[in-house]
Each structure stands twice: as structure tokens, then as C-alpha cells.
Amino acid sequence: MTDTTSNQMWGGRFAAGPDAIMEAINASIGFDKRLAAQDIAGSRAHAAMLAATGIISDRDAEAMREGLLTVLSEIEEGRFTFSPALEDIHMNVEARLKDLVGEAAGRLHTARSRNDQVATDFRLWVRDQLDAVEAGLETLVRACLVQAEAGADWVMPGFTHLQVAQPVTWGHHMMAYVEMFGRDLGRVRDARVRMNECPLGAAALAGTSFPIDREMTARELGFDRPCANSLDAVSDRDFALEFLGLASICAMHLSRLAEELVIWSSAQFRFVALSDRFSTGSSIMPQKRNPDAAELIRAKIGRIFGANVALMTVMKGLPLAYSKDMQEDKEQVFDAADNLLLALAAMEGMVRDMEANREALAAAAGHGFSTATDLADWLVRALDMPFREAHHVTGSLVALAERKGCDLPDLTLAEMQAVHADIRADVFDVLGVENSVASRRSYGGTAPDQVRSQIARWKEKLS
């Protein structure tokens, strides 16, 4: 392809080419070449519209459109030489198109600017990432549903402050993440609807005097409509910020689950075993099985949060319309998207492969006085005791069990009656963890029938 020593796009306004330092700080081709497919799609749609409105000839438009497909093939096959002297993906593509089709290529930029061109390319790219994130989230949710269904009635301890709180089921715990990732899905879908407007035709900032058909280019590129204000169209990066925002929330959810997998797979917990595919060994300690994939997912959130803050900082002080600062909008988004998609894939693999240890879960569920709340509730129901008094009596029984080195169900009836004389033998019916979880039948509760109901609801939503 043609290479140049001076940047010819500036035309007669500048007598000399850019200094090497200026070229280095100004060029974006090192990263915006990732927009090649979107840039070529936008240019092909623009060429078709220019011909349909009579602005250029059908012959020139067809030459451009075919030439652009050739450029795309060269890029995809690794045969394209990118030139930093041409600054960005737009000028690199246009220069190569001129090599292929001659002077007709110079008509392609009629009625558009790099400002609306890059805004369109970037929207198309972010839209593709939203679609990929949606698919990744759906796959992860399905993996969580499989785990939840398998253990809908497996008891385990529920925690607050990482202290044993009340018994729950494995299925209920996994369904909590289904709800989290389900909200992420909702944000992805909402963002896609909101961002699906086409900037192409806004030109530099004020629109164009050519009789273009913006509805046509919007349709060709799969947008719902053109952007309604040309100033906003070229200066808006809300779609990228919204992507980074939802990516940050999703990464935070992934990090929370990753943290639990790190804890659960430890020798102290033994709640789950991660597969060899998502674990590593130690270079010195042969017994080690490290949850490195979970730890790396947990760390990814720093990069994604950082990208969000970086782009917010770039955009916060910019007057309308376009400023060169906005060249710094892409690298953060590229990195965040790459890492979010990788984290989603790794988490789906871990969840799909992991094996929950039902015996260890059940054993842990019975420790730590996890049925103390069930005892207090029984005192309220059976003895008509005010809850605050029931809380006090239960606390006294817990203290007695701690002194004896046993759990609540191990106390004798006589020992319980020494604390409160009205306690009856049927109190033991509520002290088992199985009875505890079965009793939590309120909507959204941990009772196995409620868990299975929520699993069915989500299967229907996904279908």
C-alpha cells in the first residue's frame, strides 16, 4: 500500500509533515486498527447511500464497496501494512482503497468527517461487545442453574460477616448469583437499546449540505435510528461509559463469586473442588492446588474499574463537540471488554466443572449454632413469647452450649428447661438444619421447593 512521509490529509494548510514526536502522540493506528471491520462496514454503507442519493455514481460506489472488501480480506489475513504516518484506521483504509480503485476512493469521504466516522465505528464495536457479553452471561447463568438444580436440597451454612448465620441450601446460594448475573444481563440489554443510534451523517459537527439519507445508513448498519443532534452525535461517548459501567458491576459480581470459590476450595472449608483445568500447582509444595483462575478473575476488576475512571476523566471537561482528547477513549474500553469476556468464560468453566462436597456442606451447616434463629422463632410461635425475650432466652441457651462444647440440638430437654421451664420436647423438631431450610418457604426463601420454583422461572426466561 502507499506510504507517505507527510500526512496528506491535512492538504494545503500545512507546509511540512509532522515531527516524529507529534506523529507518535497523534497516531492511533496502533490500537484503533481493531475497528477495521466496523470502519469498512460503515464505509460500505456510506458509499451505497451516496450512490442511492445521486451524490456519487453507481459505478464509483460499486468500485469502493468491492475494494473495501478486498481491504478487509487483507487485514483479516494479516497481509495489510498499517502506516503510523497515516494516523488512524480510517486513513489507512482509504489510502489502500485508493491503491485498489484509483481516484474514485477520494469520493468516499463526501458528506462525512472522521468525527462521525469514528463515532460510528466505535458504536458498532461496543455493540458487538455487548452482544458477546450477553452471550457469555447467558452461558454462565445456565452453568449456575445446573449447579443450583443439582443441590436444590443440599444444606450448607449461610453466612453474614463470614460467620455462620442460618442454614441455607446450595441451590439457594447458587441462585443468588443467577439473580446478580441476571441483573447484569438486563443492564447489557438496556444499554444496547439506548446506544443503538447512528452518528454517521453528522459530519464534523454540524451535519452536511449534501442530500444524504441518514435513515438508510442507519438501517444498513443495524441501528434503530440516526442520532438526532449532530453536535451530540460526534461528541457522545455515553455508550462507551455505559459499557464500562455495566462491565464494572458485572466484574464486581464475578469477583464476589471468585472470592467464594477461593474460600470454598480451601482445605479449611472443602466446600468445592475445582477442576484441574482451572487450578494450578505449586513449584515447591506438591500438595497445593491453587485456584488461580478465580484469583485472576478477582483481580481483573481493578483493570475494568480503572478503565471506567479513566474514560470518565477524559470526558468530564470537554466542550462540544469533538476534541482530540477523545482519541483516548478506546484503549480502556478495548482492555475492559477483553478482560470481562475472558473472566466470564473462565468463571463459566469453573462453575460448570466444579464439584460441591455435599458432606462437607452438611457438616458445616450444623455447626456454629446455625439454628439459633429457628429456636427463637419456635419460642415465639409455641410459647407466645415476645421476640426480644425469645432472643434473650436463645442467647442464654447458646451460651450454655458453648460452655458444654456442644451445639444446640445436643442440649438435653432438662438443660433447656433450666433456662426456661416452659420449653417442650417438640423444640427439637426445629433444631435440625434440614427442618430449618424446609421451613423457609416465603417467596425467595431457601426451602427446596422455593429454590426449584426460582430455577424453573429462570429456565423459562432464558428459553
Side-chain angles (χ1 to χ4, degrees):
M1 69 178 274
T2 300
D3 198 1
T4 59
T5 55
S6 64
N7 199 321
Q8 296 178 3
M9 81 178 98
W10 297 346
R13 173 65 180 85
F14 291 84
D19 181 89
I21 295 174
M22 182 59 195
E23 181 178 294
I25 196 172
N26 196 49
S28 60
I29 189 60
F31 53 85
D32 71 12
K33 60 187 177 185
R34 290 188 66 168
L35 300 175
Q38 290 78 19
D39 189 72
I40 288 170
S43 290
R44 294 186 81 242
H46 186 66
M49 180 276 295
L50 291 176
T53 53
I55 297 171
I56 66 173
S57 69
D58 290 341
R59 180 178 177 179
D60 281 350
E62 187 58 27
M64 291 177 199
R65 284 168 58 81
E66 289 301 314
L68 286 165
L69 288 180
T70 300
V71 176
L72 181 60
S73 296
E74 291 176 353
I75 293 172
E76 291 176 342
E77 293 166 10
R79 297 184 289 111
F80 189 96
T81 302
F82 293 99
S83 169
L86 292 171
E87 286 191 18
D88 56 33
I89 186 61
H90 322 300
M91 298 311 299
N92 270 265
V93 169
E94 187 173 321
R96 179 57 180 147
L97 183 63
K98 184 177 180 181
D99 291 342
L100 294 170
V101 305
E103 291 303 319
R107 302 185 187 281
L108 179 59
H109 210 53
T110 306
R112 75 173 182 184
S113 161
R114 283 192 297 170
N115 294 356
D116 62 337
Q117 188 177 358
V118 71
T120 303
D121 294 356
F122 200 19
R123 278 191 192 239
L124 289 169
W125 192 90
V126 170
R127 191 177 70 185
D128 289 343
Q129 305 315 299
L130 287 169
D131 292 343
V133 170
E134 180 179 16
L137 278 166
E138 286 186 356
T139 305
L140 176 55
V141 167
R142 292 182 192 280
C144 291
L145 286 171
V146 170
Q147 287 285 349
E149 192 163 28
D153 56 358
W154 297 3
V155 293
M156 67 174 289
F159 299 91
T160 59
H161 310 278
L162 203 54
Q163 306 294 312
V164 173
Q166 291 177 273
V168 295
T169 60
W170 172 255
H172 192 55
H173 201 114
M174 294 308 300
M175 288 303 294
Y177 285 103
V178 168
E179 293 294 328
M180 287 188 207
F181 296 133
R183 290 192 294 275
D184 292 327
L185 268 172
R187 277 182 281 271
V188 168
R189 291 164 179 166
D190 288 348
R192 196 189 192 288
V193 170
R194 200 162 19 257
M195 63 87 69
N196 205 33
E197 297 181 341
C198 184
L200 198 58
L205 75 163
T208 178
S209 58
F210 289 95
I212 61 173
D213 184 347
R214 294 191 63 207
E215 294 284 352
M216 178 181 172
T217 46
R219 282 194 309 272
E220 286 282 319
L221 295 170
F223 289 108
D224 295 329
R225 65 193 69 84
C227 296
N229 182 283
S230 60
L231 282 168
D232 181 57
V234 298
S235 62
D236 168 40
R237 293 298 183 270
D238 287 2
F239 62 92
L241 289 166
E242 192 163 2
F243 175 77
L244 292 176
L246 67 87
S248 296
I249 296 173
C250 181
M252 177 268 292
H253 291 154
L254 290 168
S255 182
R256 293 183 73 181
L257 180 50
E259 170 73 1
E260 297 215 289
L261 294 181
V262 170
I263 294 170
W264 289 349
S265 62
S266 68
Q268 290 74 24
F269 274 74
R270 298 185 304 109
F271 282 4
V272 301
L274 300 177
S275 73
D276 290 345
R277 295 199 312 139
F278 295 97
S279 305
T280 64
S282 165
S283 63
I284 190 173
M285 295 169 284
Q287 84 282 8
K288 293 293 293 298
R289 185 188 187 91
N290 298 324
D292 283 9
E295 292 169 356
L296 288 166
I297 289 171
R298 191 173 57 185
K300 293 291 185 189
I301 192 169
R303 297 175 69 148
I304 296 171
F305 275 9
N308 196 9
V309 173
L311 186 52
M312 282 281 194
T313 306
V314 167
M315 297 301 299
K316 72 173 181 63
L318 297 187
L320 296 178
Y322 181 86
S323 298
K324 193 67 171 183
D325 312 49
M326 292 166 72
Q327 183 169 292
E328 294 296 310
D329 61 358
K330 297 171 197 67
E331 287 179 281
Q332 301 96 320
V333 180
F334 291 164
D335 187 73
D338 290 346
N339 282 283
L340 179 61
L341 289 168
L342 181 59
L344 282 167
M347 183 59 78
E348 186 274 332
M350 280 192 294
V351 170
R352 177 166 35 83
D353 287 3
M354 72 182 180
E355 296 182 5
N357 185 338
R358 185 176 185 178
E359 291 72 27
L361 292 168
H367 295 319
F369 312 108
S370 65
T371 56
T373 304
D374 296 277
L375 174 56
D377 289 346
W378 181 88
L379 292 170
V380 170
R381 287 195 309 271
L383 304 184
D384 197 27
M385 190 181 291
F387 183 80
R388 286 300 168 203
E389 183 182 349
H391 189 284
H392 178 77
V393 169
T394 301
S396 298
L397 290 168
V398 168
L400 173 61
E402 281 184 323
R403 290 195 298 272
K404 288 176 58 65
C406 67
D407 218 319
L408 285 172
D410 302 318
L411 294 174
T412 66
L413 180 59
E415 287 169 333
M416 289 189 180
Q417 288 175 335
V419 173
H420 196 284
D422 293 339
I423 294 177
R424 306 189 303 265
D426 57 323
V427 70
F428 290 99
D429 293 340
V430 303
L431 293 182
V433 292
E434 301 280 356
N435 292 332
S436 173
V437 297
S439 70
R440 307 289 174 181
R441 294 191 180 92
S442 57
Y443 180 81
T446 193
D449 57 347
Q450 277 295 319
V451 173
R452 292 187 178 102
S453 174
Q454 295 300 328
I455 292 169
R457 179 176 69 87
W458 268 99
K459 282 184 174 181
E460 184 176 353
K461 285 179 70 170
L462 290 174
S463 66

